Amino acid sequence: MFIDFMIGVFLLGSLFHLSMAIWNVKVISPFGISKKANIAYGISVLCFTIGLYLYKNGLDTMLKDYIYLGGIFAVAYTVALGLWSNKIGKQK
């Protein structure tokens, strides 16, 4: 139960650091304050949550757990939307 809680906390943390890095908001992370540091930290935390989930539950359960896959989709959607909007903003 505690591991599931930590997986959710770290997944939310990766979403936070990746979205703040994409939107050019300076947030402190263990790797530093820069945009690259937040992207590196967000990706490393995301990989940690995936590894922790696979260790606890396995790949078969991960593919059937729609709540966790929804969290992964939210991270991917936020990153894609942020990159797209930054690209559109730079063209004007």
Side-chain angles (χ1 to χ4, degrees):
M1 190 72 153
F2 181 71
I3 292 176
D4 294 327
F5 175 74
M6 294 309 296
I7 289 170
V9 167
F10 285 122
L11 184 62
L12 184 61
S14 70
L15 174 65
F16 173 75
H17 282 281
L18 287 172
S19 61
M20 292 297 114
I22 289 171
W23 294 103
N24 293 323
V25 177
K26 292 188 177 188
V27 177
I28 192 165
S29 73
F31 297 163
I33 299 177
S34 70
K35 178 179 179 176
K36 289 181 182 179
N38 279 307
I39 289 173
Y41 182 69
I43 290 172
S44 65
V45 170
L46 180 63
C47 292
F48 177 72
T49 63
I50 291 171
L52 194 59
Y53 190 92
L54 290 175
Y55 171 75
K56 182 181 182 291
N57 299 318
L59 183 61
D60 294 337
T61 306
M62 182 180 184
L63 297 176
K64 294 176 185 174
D65 187 359
Y66 296 119
I67 293 175
Y68 185 73
L69 290 178
I72 297 290
F73 178 76
V75 171
Y77 180 76
T78 302
V79 169
L81 183 65
L83 292 174
W84 177 75
S85 65
N86 281 342
K87 183 178 178 181
I88 295 297
K90 289 180 181 177
Q91 289 178 355
K92 292 182 178 183

